[in-house]
Amino acid sequence: KPFFNDFFFLLSSQYKFRDLTIEELKNVSKTYPNFTFSMNTYTFKDGSQKDLLNFSGTVPVKYGDFYNIPIHLWILDSHPFAPPICFLKPTVNMAISVGKHVDAHGRIYLPYLQNWSHPKSTVIGLIKEMIAKFEEELPLYSLSSSEAARQSELLSYIAKITAGETDTKSKTKLGGGKNEGCFNKITVVGAGDLGIACVLAVAAKGAADKVVLLDLSEGTAKGGTMDLEIFALPNVEISKDFSASADSKVVVLTVNSLGNAQTYLDVIQSNVDLFRGIIPAISHYSQNTVLLVASHPVEVMTYVSWKLSAFPKSRVIGVGANLDTERFQYILTNLLKAEALAKDAWIIGEQGEDKVLSWTSCNLAANQMEAMASRNSREKVANRAMEVLKGKGQRSWSVGLSVADLTDSILKDKRKVHSVSTLAKGCCNINSEVFLSLPCVLGTNGVIEMVKLEEDPLVQEKLQSGAGSIHDLQQQLKL
């Protein structure tokens, strides 16, 4: 068709493989004549923009009856060597059914996209797999007339996302304003043992006016969730609907995938895939919330939450080494009677076996000899405390108490220092975007400032090594 050649003649400098792209789009137009083509500006997550070819249309899906599912595909300028970016494009009387292939923004994720490889992979092949997956799990459902009005507001947000915009500063709220003002609401995502432990600990702490447990498991309430319903706690709500989390001041993420992954990388990738369907919905309903990540591995999943939410780094934190630090300081103060040391002692770095001991005070003595003696004494006591700490595991209830401690500091704007997972880039000569536990002052908006650590080459070396390992792992993930 002359249209394709004329259309791309003006854009030959943008599309590296113009002829291949034209040929493929001719095939798409022939197979799906209802598709319309246009050029629009796409804004990527990092804020960069490009004028890209995109097309919209419907694909037939048999799910009992036949349904025409509206989709919107963006063709990257490196096509066909890079896969398209795919979205659903629901009408005003449709709602997105979040699942393993579609997130709350309508972004479509398929194995075909992850394994894209030219010339084996084509847009026609992609659409065929899309149809097959949608026939297994329909991605849209019809709204009643009363729901449609509410949905129109959500659609305006989705339209921005499909246009490449990520305006998380928008003040639009879907909750009708019922939770505005000083109402302190916390949502815990995940109804496993850790999620329930967090709900109980947060409720016992008394910092929140309302605690929502978002149960994403399939089927009816089971186990601990059923018990929570039976022995109804005041101000605790259990829901399977993301909208129940609207206007939360803090959202605690406790979910972990229980798939059949074979390798450690597969386990993490499975968690990433799970978060792709959760974080966009949470960040939409609570656009000013603080995300508190307790899922494993906490450093990587905090990074994933930050990337998927597009929140400022200050409002995405991991539970990190808060529990270990609180235990360590308690041991120093109460068992070893070294209270003066405890206030400056911190467990930092990675959660688990690779944790690092550091200090925030370097004024040990007036002269070098006294300083050396004082440092040796300090290290002996610290080593004894670390030995005691080694015998302490991290059970669900203990992590739940740690989460309650962190949420209390955030909701009450305590400006208390905690060792939490935060973006470590720029600290200790770390140049990569990784999250590590570091002493941070917490308040209403999350991390207010990072507390300066004592300069210790060995500590810096350990942190840099940990950051390198985490960064290498993150580079292998498909976000």
Side-chain angles (χ1 to χ4, degrees):
K1 297 178 182 180
F3 165 76
F4 289 104
N5 292 316
D6 294 341
F7 192 67
F8 275 90
F9 179 77
L10 299 174
L11 300 166
S12 58
S13 61
Q14 290 173 257
Y15 278 78
K16 302 177 181 67
F17 310 101
R18 172 176 167 269
D19 293 339
L20 289 173
T21 305
I22 291 172
E23 190 62 35
E24 183 162 13
L25 291 181
K26 285 180 181 178
N27 294 333
V28 173
S29 183
K30 183 179 179 180
T31 308
Y32 299 98
N34 71 83
F35 279 25
T36 58
F37 297 79
S38 62
M39 291 296 302
N40 293 101
T41 301
Y42 186 89
T43 304
F44 295 88
K45 287 184 178 181
D46 63 0
S48 62
Q49 295 183 328
K50 279 187 179 179
D51 288 332
L52 296 178
L53 172 74
N54 63 94
F55 56 92
S56 300
T58 60
V59 293
V61 172
K62 191 176 190 307
Y63 195 83
D65 294 326
F66 271 100
Y67 297 92
N68 290 317
I69 302 298
I71 61 171
H72 190 133
L73 275 63
W74 294 84
I75 308 300
L76 294 174
D77 54 4
S78 53
H79 190 85
F81 294 91
I85 300 171
C86 309
F87 290 92
L88 292 171
K89 195 177 181 182
T91 62
V92 71
N93 62 342
M94 295 178 180
I96 294 169
S97 179
V98 175
K100 59 183 176 181
H101 299 304
V102 179
D103 69 17
H105 292 153
R107 180 78 181 260
I108 299 169
Y109 301 94
L110 296 170
Y112 200 93
L113 289 168
Q114 292 184 356
N115 301 317
W116 184 276
S117 177
H118 177 76
K120 180 179 66 176
S121 303
T122 64
V123 174
I124 295 292
L126 169 64
I127 294 173
K128 286 181 179 178
E129 178 169 290
M130 199 178 292
I131 292 171
K133 296 300 182 184
F134 289 170
E135 287 180 346
E136 294 174 6
E137 186 178 56
L138 205 62
L140 296 169
Y141 61 91
S142 298
L143 291 170
S144 66
S145 57
S146 60
E147 292 172 315
R150 177 183 168 96
Q151 178 68 6
S152 63
E153 188 176 1
L154 178 59
L155 281 172
S156 67
Y157 181 78
I158 293 171
K160 291 181 181 180
I161 297 297
T162 58
E165 299 176 16
T166 52
D167 181 15
T168 57
K169 295 181 180 178
S170 170
K171 300 301 181 185
T172 303
K173 295 177 184 285
L174 294 181
K178 63 182 179 180
N179 294 322
E180 294 177 359
C182 297
F183 191 88
N184 281 336
K185 177 179 176 181
I186 291 177
T187 293
V188 176
V189 183
D193 288 346
L194 178 55
I196 292 172
C198 288
V199 169
L200 295 174
V202 168
K205 196 82 172 177
D209 300 305
K210 184 174 184 179
V211 183
V212 174
L213 176 62
L214 199 56
D215 181 3
L216 303 180
S217 61
E218 297 179 359
T220 56
K222 312 177 191 179
T225 309
M226 183 177 70
D227 293 338
L228 280 179
E229 289 184 343
I230 294 171
F231 302 100
L233 296 177
N235 304 325
V236 173
E237 175 188 345
I238 303 169
S239 178
K240 289 182 174 291
D241 189 341
F242 280 107
S243 65
S245 69
D247 305 312
S248 295
K249 297 289 181 66
V250 179
V251 174
V252 182
L253 294 145
T254 71
V255 288
N256 286 290
S257 175
L258 299 177
N260 298 317
Q262 298 298 313
T263 69
Y264 183 56
L265 180 62
D266 291 339
V267 171
I268 301 175
Q269 183 63 55
S270 185
N271 268 357
V272 171
D273 296 341
L274 186 63
F275 269 48
R276 279 205 306 242
I278 295 172
I279 299 297
I282 288 296
S283 58
H284 171 59
Y285 283 108
S286 299
Q287 296 175 15
N288 297 306
T289 193
V290 174
L291 296 179
L292 179 56
V293 182
S295 302
H296 294 296
V298 67
E299 294 84 15
V300 175
M301 298 317 297
T302 307
Y303 166 81
V304 170
S305 300
W306 176 53
K307 285 295 186 182
L308 292 176
S309 68
F311 280 1
K313 62 182 181 181
S314 59
R315 290 201 284 116
V316 184
I317 60 180
V319 294
N322 182 63
L323 176 58
D324 279 336
T325 293
E326 294 292 337
R327 285 172 166 176
F328 186 72
Q329 292 178 350
Y330 178 87
I331 292 166
L332 286 174
T333 300
N334 297 282
L335 301 184
L336 303 180
K337 307 303 178 185
E339 185 175 356
L341 290 179
K343 63 185 178 65
D344 295 321
W346 299 92
I347 304 297
I348 61 172
E350 296 179 70
Q351 191 184 71
E353 294 300 317
D354 295 322
K355 53 181 171 280
V356 180
L357 169 61
S358 187
W359 309 85
T360 54
S361 173
C362 57
N363 299 318
L364 294 172
N367 59 63
Q368 189 173 357
M369 188 171 293
E370 289 182 8
M372 186 175 296
S374 182
R375 183 174 282 107
N376 289 338
S377 175
R378 181 184 73 177
E379 295 303 327
K380 287 180 181 179
V381 175
N383 288 336
R384 288 168 60 195
M386 288 294 278
E387 285 301 315
V388 177
L389 186 62
K390 279 183 181 178
K392 309 295 180 185
Q394 294 203 0
R395 303 295 180 89
S396 293
W397 59 265
S398 56
V399 178
L401 290 170
S402 177
V403 165
D405 180 43
L406 294 170
T407 56
D408 187 56
S409 288
I410 295 168
L411 291 178
K412 294 181 180 177
D413 200 24
K414 282 189 169 182
R415 310 297 174 104
K416 181 181 173 182
V417 184
H418 295 267
S419 182
V420 290
S421 304
T422 188
L423 187 64
K425 185 176 182 180
C427 174
C428 300
N429 295 318
I430 295 171
N431 297 317
S432 52
E433 291 183 339
V434 296
F435 281 70
L436 291 172
S437 277
L438 294 166
C440 296
V441 179
L442 296 188
T444 305
N445 294 315
V447 174
I448 297 171
E449 65 176 308
M450 199 181 297
V451 177
K452 185 175 176 60
L453 292 167
E454 177 182 285
E455 292 187 9
D456 184 330
L458 183 59
V459 168
Q460 292 196 8
E461 183 181 336
K462 288 180 179 179
L463 290 178
Q464 290 166 10
S465 175
S469 299
I470 293 170
H471 183 255
D472 289 344
L473 185 58
Q474 288 172 178
Q475 292 297 99
Q476 299 177 65
L477 297 173
K478 297 174 182 177
L479 288 180

